[in-house]
Amino acid sequence: SATCEITVNAKVILATGITLDKTTAELTEGETLTLTATVTPENATDKTVVWTSSDETVATVANGVVTALKAGKAAITAKVGEVSATCEITVNAKVIPATGITLDKTTAELTEGETLTLTATVSPEDATDKTVVWTSSDETVATVANGVVTALKAGKATITVTSTSNPSVSATCEIAVVPATGIDSVID
């Protein structure tokens, strides 16, 4: 007697579409974001999603979890079969605010016409923006530019240095200017 062997193969249902829950996202260095991919049709045989990043130095991706590494842009792509979806990631540099300023001198006495260079130290060491603004409480007594104090006439002036990125952070130096003759004393 003849036997007939029949093999029944499961019908392969190909994925026809993939979407991501986000098409754009903004992250700061060090942050992570989980992207969710939806494959259609729901009953697709193979729903394995392959994730890639267009720039692994900016952002990496593993199983939909995006890790922001450095400032820049990267396209995160989710692919299943022949279809894919992309999310454009913008990574911003981490901003480390200035939390303190110190001056190398808090008081100084100058004679009319003399100059003194004050040095401001912004902390923390890795603050993103270390720029400062210098001001004098009395421009007729002493002026200041980039930390260089110029004594103009007898009197008192307060030199203030302020963080540009965090104006609540400042330091001061009290300047007493004495006459060039040296005979008169500074009157409080």
Side-chain angles (χ1 to χ4, degrees):
S1 72
T3 59
C4 179
E5 218 172 276
I6 298 171
T7 305
V8 178
N9 291 322
K11 184 178 176 191
V12 175
I13 299 165
L14 296 173
T16 55
I18 186 170
T19 56
L20 290 173
D21 57 339
K22 288 182 173 60
T23 55
T24 61
E26 213 168 303
L27 296 171
T28 300
E29 291 171 333
E31 286 184 337
T32 61
L33 165 74
T34 302
L35 292 174
T36 304
T38 304
V39 177
T40 51
E42 191 132 326
N43 63 343
T45 307
D46 184 4
K47 292 170 103 173
T48 307
V49 178
V50 177
W51 297 90
T52 55
S53 169
S54 65
D55 191 339
E56 297 261 333
T57 66
V58 173
T60 58
V61 62
N63 298 322
V65 179
V66 179
T67 303
L69 300 177
K70 73 166 190 181
K73 289 185 183 292
I76 302 299
T77 303
K79 189 172 194 278
V80 60
E82 297 302 308
V83 290
S84 63
T86 302
C87 178
E88 294 296 330
I89 302 285
T90 301
V91 178
N92 297 313
K94 188 172 189 174
V95 175
I96 300 163
T99 55
I101 296 181
T102 53
L103 283 171
D104 56 339
K105 289 183 176 63
T106 55
T107 60
E109 187 175 282
L110 296 173
T111 304
E112 290 173 333
E114 270 190 323
T115 62
L116 164 73
T117 301
L118 292 174
T119 304
T121 304
V122 177
S123 57
E125 186 64 39
D126 59 349
T128 308
D129 183 357
K130 288 188 169 190
T131 57
V132 294
V133 177
W134 296 87
T135 54
S136 170
S137 64
D138 191 340
E139 297 265 334
T140 65
V141 172
T143 59
V144 64
N146 297 321
V148 179
V149 179
T150 304
L152 301 176
K153 72 168 191 180
K156 286 186 183 278
T158 302
I159 302 301
T160 304
V161 61
T162 307
S163 164
T164 308
S165 62
N166 185 0
S168 68
V169 174
S170 65
T172 59
C173 179
E174 300 298 328
I175 302 289
V177 179
V178 294
T181 60
I183 297 165
D184 301 327
S185 63
V186 175
I187 298 160
D188 286 332

